[in-house]
Amino acid sequence: MSSSRQGKIAVVGAGFYGSTTALRLAEYDIFETVVLTDIVEGKPEGLALDMNQSRPIEGFETKLVGQTTGADGEGYEAIAGSDIVIITAGLPRKPGMSRMDLIETNAKIVRGVAENVAKHAPSAVVIVVSNPLDEMTALTQLATGFPKNRVLGQAGMLDTARFSNFVAEELKVPVGAVRTLTLGSHGDTMVPVPSQCTVTVDGQQRALTDLLGNEKIDELVTRTRNGGAEVVALLKTGSAYFAPSSAAARMAKAVHEDSGAVMPVCAWVDGQYGISGVYLGVEAEIGAGGVKRVVETQLTESELAALHEAAEAVRAKQADVSNL
Ligand SMILES: NC(=O)c1ccc[n+]([C@@H]2O[C@H](COP(=O)([O-])OP(=O)(O)OC[C@H]3O[C@@H](n4cnc5c(N)ncnc54)[C@H](O)[C@@H]3O)[C@@H](O)[C@H]2O)c1
């Protein structure tokens, strides 16, 4: 057995997001065990069985374990000892819905899950993906009582990836040549940061603003902001999960490997950018223990103003979730 394969990670919620995340994590072949749970009887067990049967073909050894959990927390023993827990439990959007329309239903689900995580995996780093993201991340920290750096949310990795994909398609360059950044909230007050976006052309790093006009950048920014809704409108029955699961899995990998990779995530902000006391999309160094450090980036005046606006919008909503 490879000595590099170690530790246990749990994914709560075996829907589209949770199941694709679990498979990506297992295919990294760096964990001993990936646990997948859900409240739908047999669903996580069935998915884990199916995924385990792909191991001889794909050539990974990580073992997947499926576990149904009950209303009173039965079955949660399966996540005991997990170093990382990813919370994907909750309803996704349907066409025409905003992420905020999910808040009451998902707050109940996420609070219950978080309490069980605190009980059974008290040392875990928790990565939240359930929507509305910033609010569910804040709620998870409250309900677990974990240190704020040990609870983080996934949004910026996905929003940034969407932005990069649109830029690459527009400029007909490889996605690997593009670096974009979005901060703020995972919603209407997402803050794209064009001033920090670059594209490598013929080996030279160029500013995005040199390659595309303001109008075109605004168009791509709007498409990025509505990136989730665009997929929801096409699927009609749920929301995106391939790119979202890539984002959450990469964050978990950075925690597992203690890599210190700088990623845009939803993290507790404590003085950075002149903002305090709120979970917000910022760049942060990710490693063992979760967020090691929030990294401040040079912003233009208008980008900074937009980030402050986003912070105040999510602060108001995050205050509400403590009562849900
Ligand atoms: N942060 C992001 O960028 C992002 C992106 C896409 C989706 N999402 C969100 O992720 C969540 C999951 O999306 P999905 O596409 O997998 O939805 P889905 O409907 O396919 O799956 C949700 C799963 O959660 C399970 N569940 C419900 N209550 C539970 C509980 N108490 N304990 C355990 N499991 C429970 C359901 O049975 C279901 O299997 C949604 O809230 C969605 O809005 C977030």
Side-chain angles (χ1 to χ4, degrees), residues 11-20 37-41 43-44 47 67 69-71 76 87-94 99 102 105-106 108-113 116 128-134 136-137 153-159 162 186 228 232 235 237-245 247-248:
V11 180
V12 178
F16 287 110
Y17 199 146
S19 56
T20 42
T37 75
D38 202 285
I39 50 167
V40 176
E41 176 77 42
K43 183 178 182 181
L47 288 168
Q67 176 68 51
T69 55
Y76 264 95
I87 300 180
T88 78
L91 302 191
R93 286 191 282 173
K94 295 245 162 62
R99 294 183 179 92
L102 301 166
T105 312
N106 283 356
K108 285 195 186 72
I109 294 173
V110 168
R111 180 182 284 281
V113 169
N116 280 304
V128 181
V129 311
S130 312
N131 272 319
L133 189 273
D134 308 272
M136 293 305 110
T137 306
Q154 187 300 115
M157 284 281 283
L158 171 62
D159 295 332
R162 284 178 169 150
H186 188 48
V232 169
L235 294 180
T237 50
S239 58
Y241 50 95
F242 286 114
S245 59

